[in-house]
Amino acid sequence: MSIPGDKLVIAGREFSSRLMVGTGKYANNEEMIKALEASGAEIITVAVRRVNLDRNRESLLDFIDLKKYTLLPNTAGCYTADDAIRTCRLAREAGMSDFVKLEVLGDEKTLFPDNEELLKAARILVKEGFTVLPYTSDDPIVCKKLEDIGCAAVMPLGAPIGSGLGIRNPYNIRIILDTVKVPVIVDAGVGTASDAAIAMELGCHGVLMNTGIAGARNPVAMAEAMNLAVRAGRLAYLAGRIPKKLYATASSPIEGLLE
Amino acid sequence: MSIPGDKLVIAGREFSSRLMVGTGKYANNEEMIKALEASGAEIITVAVRRVNLDRNRESLLDFIDLKKYTLLPNTAGCYTADDAIRTCRLAREAGMSDFVKLEVLGDEKTLFPDNEELLKAARILVKEGFTVLPYTSDDPIVCKKLEDIGCAAVMPLGAPIGSGLGIRNPYNIRIILDTVKVPVIVDAGVGTASDAAIAMELGCHGVLMNTGIAGARNPVAMAEAMNLAVRAGRLAYLAGRIPKKLYATASSPIEGLLE
Amino acid sequence: MSIPGDKLVIAGREFSSRLMVGTGKYANNEEMIKALEASGAEIITVAVRRVNLDRNRESLLDFIDLKKYTLLPNTAGCYTADDAIRTCRLAREAGMSDFVKLEVLGDEKTLFPDNEELLKAARILVKEGFTVLPYTSDDPIVCKKLEDIGCAAVMPLGAPIGSGLGIRNPYNIRIILDTVKVPVIVDAGVGTASDAAIAMELGCHGVLMNTGIAGARNPVAMAEAMNLAVRAGRLAYLAGRIPKKLYATASSPIEGLLE
Amino acid sequence: MSIPGDKLVIAGREFSSRLMVGTGKYANNEEMIKALEASGAEIITVAVRRVNLDRNRESLLDFIDLKKYTLLPNTAGCYTADDAIRTCRLAREAGMSDFVKLEVLGDEKTLFPDNEELLKAARILVKEGFTVLPYTSDDPIVCKKLEDIGCAAVMPLGAPIGSGLGIRNPYNIRIILDTVKVPVIVDAGVGTASDAAIAMELGCHGVLMNTGIAGARNPVAMAEAMNLAVRAGRLAYLAGRIPKKLYATASSPIEGLLE
Amino acid sequence: MQVIINGEFREIDPQNINNLLEDLDIDPRKVAVELNSEILPKAVFETTFLGERDRLEIVHFVGGG
Amino acid sequence: MQVIINGEFREIDPQNINNLLEDLDIDPRKVAVELNSEILPKAVFETTFLGERDRLEIVHFVGGG
Amino acid sequence: MQVIINGEFREIDPQNINNLLEDLDIDPRKVAVELNSEILPKAVFETTFLGERDRLEIVHFVGGG
Amino acid sequence: MQVIINGEFREIDPQNINNLLEDLDIDPRKVAVELNSEILPKAVFETTFLGERDRLEIVHFVGGG
């Protein structure tokens, strides 16, 4: 159930799964691990936070098989380029990898990116050798700038983080796909399986989500649903759908009808 | 990759796949067979036509493994209750089964059902012991009448046959799902994978399609896409999606942020 | 502010306004009269009910200027052809006019039409010389039958009565407009001004509403909004809108730019 | 036909019309003037271009009654903050007014704003005492920054300039309306009357368009349609629409039905 | 004698429809009348007399959509 | 003698349905037969003989949606 | 002497901006003028004289969106 | 002596980073350390000794989207 040789390539690394998932908001680590399994994801996002000195020292890394999953540390919670840069440097030190999901947020209510600060941070981080995957708006001009700066992909939002509204503006996503050559990964807004399929049918190279899975009544089942949906959407995109028409076309032959 | 015990039950018969596919419009029988395989369908629709006395006698049944597939003969091309009834009787005789996909068309341009004639035909066919699966409009009142008549399922259209417009009016489909107890199967209009997923996410019990697969540039790949999409949509429906919100909710914790 | 000679013609009678409004659900008669004025409507619907022998004898007709408004009695509340026919006959007797808004409802939850009964009633009423304006589904096949029976217009619903969902399926409305020659009037579902404008932009000949106005916080202001919106939509339809494009076209000249 | 005291206030100046229109792309000046009249607009945009020394000296200002219309010079065609600033300074000199529609474009295909450059230009122009009305994306974070900088309004695009796609992402427009206190004027993308009505129903304070009118088959009629639609949408917004419901509510009484 | 008007039993004197409507303070021009399931043209209101157990429906227009 | 099969005139010898299908190289298990507008159960193919001017419809399943 | 007006070389006599605009048949109230990349207030049109190789931009309003 | 770790004052003995992490029961391979706003490569954990009033940030990965 896959297309031979159809790989997602980011910064020269190949991935078979086009679904990236977050590790936040699960009831417990067991549920999280089961959901990661069901999702088939190879890239998982993590946050960088202070070690809590008063609580048990249990670390997320005790649960995650790093042979199986590529960690993508994010800069969630950063509202300035400086904070995001600092977080990326710490993430690299902690994770021994250059991959970062760069977020610079504009406000707490929308969690929309502050693209002016995002561009600042991206310019510096790319120079420092990071593989930058920026979370941004569905703004083709910003995406083109991020590509020109040297980001390894662009990750426009479909809708606000955790909103479950799906892709609010497929037109912009299509324009972004026409505009940049790096992978386009829809990040944020996916609420259900069809949202993920739609992203892939538009031609996106991948989808990233967290709340859509972790917040579902049954996260493991939803993880599997998203796994199937991303593959369904990708296959449909490659298969070449029928054109839309206002009127009908019969699927049974006219010839040989009884008289 | 399936939910144990989640079966589609029609007239007491259980099916594991919720995708039903047509056998029309394929380039050749080999392609059709490959697409049926990829779709995972267990129920396939066929048309009833005169044997062509001047051509080779090759029959569709020479290609289809009847242990694997349940035939669902349709009455495509019938514009009156009488024609549809006659076709159903012939189908039963030819196929040794009571299952029929009842279509009574209103005009050639839309191929929309003539529900007045459809109801007439259904009343007679149910009395004659047929297991009637009627192709109808997204009209809750007609669907309720069809259920009351004794049809085994209702199959409202998502959009015109072969149009690829997807589910034009999800509101009516939802109302139909609230209104009848028999399985609701979206028949016609599905153009791509997400359309099928959306039908299942609404709570539909199955999806029936032909042109969406056979008309794709790569029918076998699209058949697999539809297979995955129907399962994705069903799983998402059962998993319980997150609610939609206008604003965001963070997926990474606030606690432990650097200062 | 109108297009000379652009009239709505129903059964040979000319109307300047393409907005028809109901008279139900107003806080009081004064508010209703003000709203009718603001709407600019010339045709208003009324219901037929028993005179309440225990209450004051005040009649709706004491408030409505019949020189200004054409009454369109409805058969709201009728669930069979017989009830609707009986109500139409009483309405003609009470109102001395042949105009009737024919409704035969299918259930109380959706108030969707029972088109099978509707067709029965229409066949009889047209024979009895009524000018029949039937409330029906967005079903082109039923609309064509109603035209062939001799109805003076068809009035497909945009969405359930009082739902305010607007036109749920513009595709079907467009097909109906392609299919019949009598006026197509969207009846039911309009929730706000843009819904009415959209109906007219599709090419509909008129819009009928009640709850959208009477249920607004300020019914008189909403009545004026609907009046403007119907004219705006009609004008836009006649003016010929620009085509939709994925990409941009500059509205300022390139020539003469500074260097 | 208007709400007493409902004025659009920009930088302390009051306007009765909430529709702003461009002066580009008309077949001739006569048609343009007629369209301006029909639109009821009080603010009209103009471009700044070199005088053509080889052609007749006829100036746009020979045709426009400056007692009636407020000129809003734009910086269309500028791709950097510097060009836009230079154009604004020339516009002020030529027009003796501080009002400018600030555009800094990102590319020629989408004509989407380059918000990074836009913010740069806005910071300088506001300091120089300009009344800045910036054309921007439907990005609440950028809009908040523009307000904080001191812009007199924000003008997010509904869709690409001249695309006629309407408001592609009403969710973002709603969030912008929640986020800023200055007037929100939808600029670009309006293709027909209902698009303008929808913008106003969302709560926007005004709409700006050019191609939607000038590009229509009959620009003068479309100008009137837009005039009516903006007023209809505004009135509907103020009147308070009915809530949307999946099911129906009768508009005729149940009491007094025949038995 | 007893008749049924709009579903209610009523005790009235023998009389024609016009008198009845007058008694009920109803303007005949604004209503329609059904007598024993037959519609009664206004023209015969004067000449139609009520009998024991007659069933009458008297309807008029009310606000509706 | 002459019969009409699927709308075409055909000259055939008097015979039963099974023989006819055999001559036409048609597998009886995969078709349904209508004789003069009456459906013919497979059970009676052997015992049903064609007569002059009989109208036959022989149908089977083809690809359809 | 030679100046560049709106990108084109032009041979003109030494003169002030007002005279130039007059020669060019341009209404000074309806244009803005940039001299060697500096905006020229209308107030100084009279007192500003053109020199060899000066670069002038003369702009006005045209239809735009 | 007193240092500030993740925003909290702590009384500790003079020691190097590795010892500190050991005392805190933290696996050095799974964290990153910032000393007085400078990131500290793991390579120098052994050779870096804490001084009075040093400010330390010790971070690791947690679940996030």
Side-chain angles (χ1 to χ4, degrees):
Chain A
M1 289 263 202
S2 71
I3 313 99
D6 178 50
K7 303 282 187 191
L8 170 63
V9 182
I10 298 176
R13 291 185 51 186
E14 283 197 353
F15 301 93
S16 302
S17 169
R18 291 173 178 278
L19 174 59
M20 309 179 187
V21 299
T23 55
K25 304 178 87 174
Y26 285 94
N28 53 61
N29 285 320
E30 291 58 36
E31 185 183 66
M32 177 193 73
I33 295 303
K34 283 213 198 74
L36 295 186
E37 296 284 339
S39 75
E42 293 166 340
I43 299 175
I44 61 177
T45 60
V46 294
V48 177
R49 293 290 181 269
R50 284 170 162 175
V51 173
N52 183 328
L53 304 175
D54 313 323
R55 246 199 264 112
N56 73 64
R57 300 288 178 278
E58 190 175 81
S59 158
L60 186 72
L61 297 188
D62 305 336
F63 294 86
I64 289 167
D65 176 355
L66 294 179
K67 285 175 219 54
K68 199 160 162 185
Y69 299 107
T70 298
L71 293 190
L72 182 61
N74 68 32
T75 60
C78 295
Y79 288 83
T80 65
D82 289 348
D83 285 354
I85 292 164
R86 179 186 178 196
T87 304
C88 288
R89 290 170 179 160
L90 285 164
R92 172 153 62 179
E93 201 55 33
M96 305 285 121
S97 145
D98 292 329
F99 272 59
V100 286
K101 177 187 171 189
L102 180 62
E103 306 182 27
V104 187
L105 303 178
D107 69 38
E108 294 177 353
K109 227 172 130 197
T110 63
L111 299 179
F112 279 146
D114 178 336
N115 291 307
E116 199 181 18
E117 289 292 303
L118 178 72
L119 289 163
K120 268 192 228 160
R123 289 185 180 105
I124 291 163
L125 291 165
V126 167
K127 281 208 190 60
E128 294 187 6
F130 283 92
T131 299
V132 179
L133 286 74
Y135 156 75
T136 185
S137 313
D138 59 0
D139 179 333
I141 306 304
V142 172
C143 287
K144 187 71 177 66
K145 288 186 176 198
L146 289 166
E147 176 181 47
D148 294 343
I149 286 169
C151 293
V154 292
M155 308 207 296
L157 57 86
I161 292 169
S163 70
L165 290 175
I167 295 189
R168 293 322 325 155
N169 191 343
Y171 296 80
N172 277 13
I173 299 295
R174 278 177 56 188
I175 292 174
I176 289 167
L177 284 160
D178 290 348
T179 306
V180 301
K181 283 171 206 58
V182 291
V184 176
I185 293 151
V186 165
D187 178 6
V190 170
T192 185
S194 54
D195 295 336
I198 286 166
M200 299 309 295
E201 287 166 353
L202 282 168
C204 292
H205 304 85
V207 180
L208 195 162
M209 66 186 73
N210 186 347
T211 308
I213 292 174
R217 205 176 54 238
N218 179 340
V220 180
M222 187 57 89
E224 183 182 337
M226 294 298 184
N227 180 348
L228 295 169
V230 167
R231 288 156 54 201
R234 178 64 178 177
L235 261 167
Y237 171 72
L238 295 171
R241 61 158 293 155
I242 54 172
K244 295 184 180 185
K245 306 163 43 265
L246 179 58
Y247 282 98
T249 333
S251 47
S252 299
I254 304 303
E255 187 214 6
L257 274 169
L258 293 167
E259 271 149 29
Chain B
M1 288 259 206
S2 71
I3 313 98
D6 178 51
K7 303 282 186 190
L8 169 64
V9 182
I10 298 176
R13 290 185 52 185
E14 284 196 353
F15 301 92
S16 302
S17 169
R18 292 175 176 279
L19 175 58
M20 310 181 186
V21 300
T23 55
K25 303 178 87 174
Y26 285 95
N28 53 60
N29 285 321
E30 290 59 35
E31 185 183 65
M32 178 193 73
I33 295 302
K34 282 213 200 73
L36 295 186
E37 297 284 339
S39 75
E42 293 167 338
I43 298 175
I44 62 177
T45 60
V46 295
V48 177
R49 294 289 182 269
R50 284 171 163 175
V51 173
N52 182 329
L53 304 176
D54 312 323
R55 246 198 265 114
N56 75 64
R57 300 289 177 279
E58 189 174 82
S59 158
L60 186 71
L61 297 188
D62 304 338
F63 294 86
I64 289 166
D65 176 355
L66 294 179
K67 284 176 220 52
K68 199 160 162 186
Y69 299 108
T70 298
L71 292 190
L72 182 60
N74 67 32
T75 60
C78 296
Y79 287 82
T80 65
D82 289 348
D83 285 353
I85 291 164
R86 179 186 178 196
T87 304
C88 288
R89 290 170 179 160
L90 284 165
R92 171 152 64 178
E93 201 54 34
M96 303 288 123
S97 144
D98 291 329
F99 272 59
V100 287
K101 177 188 172 189
L102 180 61
E103 304 181 29
V104 187
L105 303 178
D107 69 38
E108 294 176 355
K109 229 174 129 195
T110 63
L111 299 179
F112 278 146
D114 179 334
N115 290 307
E116 199 181 18
E117 290 291 303
L118 178 72
L119 289 164
K120 266 192 228 159
R123 289 184 180 106
I124 292 163
L125 291 166
V126 167
K127 282 209 191 63
E128 294 186 7
F130 282 92
T131 299
V132 180
L133 286 74
Y135 156 76
T136 184
S137 314
D138 57 1
D139 179 333
I141 307 304
V142 171
C143 288
K144 187 71 178 65
K145 288 186 176 197
L146 289 165
E147 177 181 45
D148 294 342
I149 286 167
C151 292
V154 292
M155 308 206 295
L157 57 86
I161 292 170
S163 69
L165 290 174
I167 295 189
R168 294 322 326 155
N169 191 343
Y171 296 80
N172 277 12
I173 299 295
R174 277 178 56 189
I175 292 174
I176 290 167
L177 285 160
D178 290 349
T179 307
V180 301
K181 283 172 208 59
V182 292
V184 175
I185 293 150
V186 165
D187 177 5
V190 169
T192 185
S194 54
D195 295 336
I198 287 166
M200 299 310 294
E201 287 165 354
L202 283 168
C204 293
H205 304 84
V207 180
L208 196 163
M209 66 185 73
N210 186 346
T211 308
I213 292 173
R217 205 176 55 240
N218 179 340
V220 179
M222 188 57 88
E224 184 183 337
M226 294 297 185
N227 180 348
L228 295 169
V230 167
R231 288 156 53 200
R234 178 64 179 177
L235 262 167
Y237 170 73
L238 296 171
R241 62 158 292 155
I242 55 172
K244 295 184 179 184
K245 305 162 42 269
L246 179 57
Y247 282 98
T249 334
S251 47
S252 299
I254 304 303
E255 188 213 6
L257 273 168
L258 292 168
E259 273 149 26
Chain C
M1 288 260 203
S2 72
I3 312 98
D6 177 51
K7 303 284 186 189
L8 169 62
V9 182
I10 299 176
R13 290 185 53 184
E14 284 197 352
F15 300 92
S16 302
S17 169
R18 292 173 177 278
L19 175 59
M20 309 180 187
V21 300
T23 55
K25 303 178 87 174
Y26 285 95
N28 53 61
N29 286 321
E30 291 58 36
E31 184 183 68
M32 177 192 73
I33 294 303
K34 283 212 199 74
L36 296 186
E37 296 285 337
S39 74
E42 293 165 340
I43 299 175
I44 63 177
T45 61
V46 295
V48 177
R49 293 291 180 269
R50 283 170 163 175
V51 174
N52 183 327
L53 304 176
D54 314 322
R55 247 199 265 113
N56 74 63
R57 300 289 177 279
E58 191 175 79
S59 159
L60 187 72
L61 298 188
D62 304 338
F63 295 86
I64 290 166
D65 175 356
L66 294 179
K67 285 176 218 52
K68 199 159 161 186
Y69 298 107
T70 297
L71 292 190
L72 182 60
N74 68 32
T75 60
C78 296
Y79 287 83
T80 65
D82 289 348
D83 285 353
I85 291 163
R86 179 185 178 196
T87 304
C88 288
R89 290 170 179 159
L90 284 165
R92 172 154 62 180
E93 201 55 32
M96 304 287 123
S97 144
D98 292 328
F99 272 59
V100 287
K101 177 187 171 189
L102 180 62
E103 305 181 28
V104 188
L105 303 177
D107 70 39
E108 293 177 355
K109 228 172 129 197
T110 63
L111 299 180
F112 278 146
D114 178 336
N115 291 307
E116 199 180 19
E117 289 292 303
L118 178 72
L119 289 163
K120 267 191 227 161
R123 289 184 180 107
I124 291 163
L125 291 166
V126 167
K127 281 206 191 64
E128 294 187 6
F130 283 92
T131 299
V132 179
L133 286 73
Y135 156 75
T136 184
S137 313
D138 58 1
D139 180 333
I141 306 303
V142 171
C143 287
K144 186 73 178 65
K145 288 186 175 197
L146 290 165
E147 176 182 46
D148 294 343
I149 286 168
C151 293
V154 292
M155 309 207 295
L157 56 86
I161 292 170
S163 69
L165 291 174
I167 295 188
R168 294 320 327 154
N169 192 343
Y171 296 79
N172 276 13
I173 299 295
R174 279 177 55 189
I175 292 174
I176 291 168
L177 285 161
D178 290 348
T179 306
V180 301
K181 282 171 208 60
V182 292
V184 176
I185 292 151
V186 165
D187 177 6
V190 169
T192 185
S194 53
D195 295 336
I198 286 166
M200 299 309 294
E201 287 166 353
L202 283 168
C204 293
H205 304 84
V207 180
L208 194 162
M209 66 185 72
N210 186 346
T211 309
I213 292 174
R217 206 176 55 238
N218 179 340
V220 179
M222 187 58 88
E224 183 182 337
M226 294 297 184
N227 180 347
L228 295 169
V230 167
R231 287 156 54 200
R234 178 64 179 177
L235 261 166
Y237 171 72
L238 296 172
R241 61 157 292 154
I242 55 172
K244 295 183 179 185
K245 305 164 43 266
L246 178 58
Y247 283 97
T249 336
S251 46
S252 299
I254 303 304
E255 188 213 6
L257 273 168
L258 292 167
E259 271 147 30
Chain D
M1 289 263 205
S2 73
I3 314 98
D6 178 50
K7 302 283 187 190
L8 169 64
V9 182
I10 299 175
R13 289 187 52 185
E14 285 197 352
F15 301 93
S16 302
S17 169
R18 292 173 177 279
L19 174 59
M20 310 180 186
V21 299
T23 55
K25 304 178 87 173
Y26 285 94
N28 54 60
N29 286 321
E30 291 59 35
E31 185 183 66
M32 177 193 73
I33 295 303
K34 281 212 201 74
L36 296 186
E37 297 283 339
S39 76
E42 293 166 340
I43 298 176
I44 61 177
T45 60
V46 295
V48 177
R49 294 291 181 267
R50 283 171 163 175
V51 173
N52 182 329
L53 304 176
D54 312 324
R55 245 200 263 114
N56 74 64
R57 300 289 178 278
E58 191 175 79
S59 159
L60 186 71
L61 298 188
D62 304 338
F63 294 87
I64 289 166
D65 176 355
L66 294 179
K67 283 175 222 51
K68 200 160 161 184
Y69 299 108
T70 297
L71 292 190
L72 182 61
N74 67 33
T75 61
C78 295
Y79 287 83
T80 65
D82 290 348
D83 285 354
I85 291 164
R86 179 186 180 197
T87 304
C88 289
R89 291 170 179 160
L90 285 165
R92 172 153 64 179
E93 200 55 33
M96 305 286 123
S97 145
D98 291 329
F99 273 59
V100 286
K101 177 187 171 189
L102 180 62
E103 306 181 27
V104 187
L105 303 178
D107 70 37
E108 294 177 354
K109 228 173 131 196
T110 63
L111 300 179
F112 278 147
D114 179 335
N115 291 306
E116 200 181 17
E117 289 292 303
L118 178 72
L119 289 163
K120 267 193 227 159
R123 290 186 180 104
I124 291 164
L125 291 166
V126 167
K127 282 207 190 62
E128 294 187 8
F130 283 92
T131 299
V132 179
L133 288 73
Y135 156 75
T136 185
S137 313
D138 57 1
D139 180 334
I141 306 304
V142 171
C143 288
K144 187 72 179 65
K145 288 186 176 197
L146 289 165
E147 176 181 47
D148 293 343
I149 286 168
C151 294
V154 292
M155 308 207 295
L157 57 85
I161 292 170
S163 69
L165 291 174
I167 295 189
R168 294 322 325 157
N169 191 343
Y171 296 81
N172 277 13
I173 299 296
R174 277 179 56 188
I175 291 173
I176 290 167
L177 285 160
D178 290 349
T179 307
V180 301
K181 282 171 208 58
V182 291
V184 175
I185 292 151
V186 164
D187 177 7
V190 169
T192 185
S194 54
D195 296 336
I198 287 166
M200 299 310 294
E201 287 166 353
L202 282 168
C204 292
H205 305 84
V207 180
L208 195 162
M209 66 185 72
N210 186 345
T211 308
I213 292 173
R217 207 176 53 237
N218 179 340
V220 180
M222 187 57 89
E224 184 183 337
M226 293 297 184
N227 180 349
L228 295 170
V230 167
R231 288 156 54 200
R234 178 65 179 176
L235 262 167
Y237 171 72
L238 296 171
R241 62 157 292 155
I242 55 172
K244 295 184 180 186
K245 305 163 45 265
L246 179 57
Y247 283 97
T249 335
S251 46
S252 300
I254 304 303
E255 188 214 6
L257 273 169
L258 292 168
E259 274 149 29
Chain E
M1 69 186 183
Q2 208 181 37
V3 296
I4 304 160
I5 306 178
N6 290 356
E8 301 167 16
F9 285 94
R10 292 232 161 196
E11 202 60 44
I12 62 166
D13 306 330
Q15 57 189 306
N16 67 23
I17 303 295
N18 276 339
N19 303 139
L20 174 73
L21 294 176
E22 206 171 304
D23 292 355
L24 292 171
D25 182 20
I26 294 171
D27 178 345
R29 291 164 308 163
K30 293 178 178 168
V31 298
V33 176
E34 199 185 65
L35 175 56
N36 303 325
S37 306
E38 288 301 318
I39 289 190
L40 220 53
K42 290 189 168 60
V44 303
F45 280 8
E46 190 63 32
T47 57
T48 305
F49 286 80
L50 291 167
E52 189 65 27
R53 290 276 156 189
D54 276 346
R55 281 179 300 92
L56 273 167
E57 291 287 346
I58 308 173
V59 303
H60 65 160
F61 293 139
V62 302
Chain F
M1 70 187 183
Q2 209 181 37
V3 296
I4 304 159
I5 306 177
N6 291 355
E8 299 167 18
F9 285 95
R10 292 232 160 196
E11 203 57 48
I12 62 166
D13 304 332
Q15 57 188 304
N16 67 24
I17 303 295
N18 276 339
N19 303 141
L20 174 73
L21 294 176
E22 205 173 305
D23 292 356
L24 292 171
D25 183 18
I26 293 171
D27 178 343
R29 293 163 307 163
K30 294 177 177 168
V31 298
V33 176
E34 198 184 65
L35 175 55
N36 302 324
S37 306
E38 287 302 317
I39 289 191
L40 219 53
K42 288 189 168 63
V44 303
F45 280 8
E46 191 61 32
T47 56
T48 305
F49 286 79
L50 293 167
E52 187 67 26
R53 289 276 156 192
D54 275 345
R55 280 179 300 93
L56 274 167
E57 291 286 346
I58 309 172
V59 303
H60 65 159
F61 294 138
V62 302
Chain G
M1 69 188 185
Q2 207 180 39
V3 296
I4 304 161
I5 306 178
N6 291 355
E8 299 168 17
F9 285 95
R10 292 231 162 196
E11 201 59 47
I12 62 166
D13 304 331
Q15 58 189 306
N16 67 24
I17 303 295
N18 276 341
N19 302 141
L20 174 73
L21 293 176
E22 204 173 305
D23 291 356
L24 292 171
D25 183 18
I26 293 172
D27 178 344
R29 292 163 307 162
K30 294 177 177 167
V31 298
V33 175
E34 199 184 66
L35 175 54
N36 303 325
S37 306
E38 288 301 319
I39 288 189
L40 220 53
K42 289 190 167 60
V44 302
F45 280 9
E46 190 62 32
T47 57
T48 305
F49 286 79
L50 292 166
E52 188 65 26
R53 290 276 159 191
D54 275 345
R55 280 179 300 92
L56 273 167
E57 292 286 346
I58 308 172
V59 303
H60 65 159
F61 294 139
V62 302
Chain H
M1 69 188 185
Q2 209 181 38
V3 296
I4 304 161
I5 306 177
N6 290 358
E8 299 168 17
F9 286 95
R10 291 231 161 196
E11 202 59 46
I12 63 166
D13 305 330
Q15 57 188 307
N16 67 23
I17 303 294
N18 276 340
N19 303 140
L20 175 73
L21 293 176
E22 205 172 305
D23 293 355
L24 293 171
D25 183 18
I26 293 172
D27 178 344
R29 292 164 308 164
K30 294 176 178 170
V31 298
V33 175
E34 199 185 66
L35 174 55
N36 303 324
S37 305
E38 288 301 319
I39 288 189
L40 219 54
K42 288 190 168 59
V44 302
F45 280 10
E46 191 61 33
T47 56
T48 305
F49 285 80
L50 293 167
E52 188 65 26
R53 290 277 158 190
D54 275 347
R55 280 179 300 92
L56 273 167
E57 292 286 345
I58 308 172
V59 303
H60 66 159
F61 293 139
V62 301

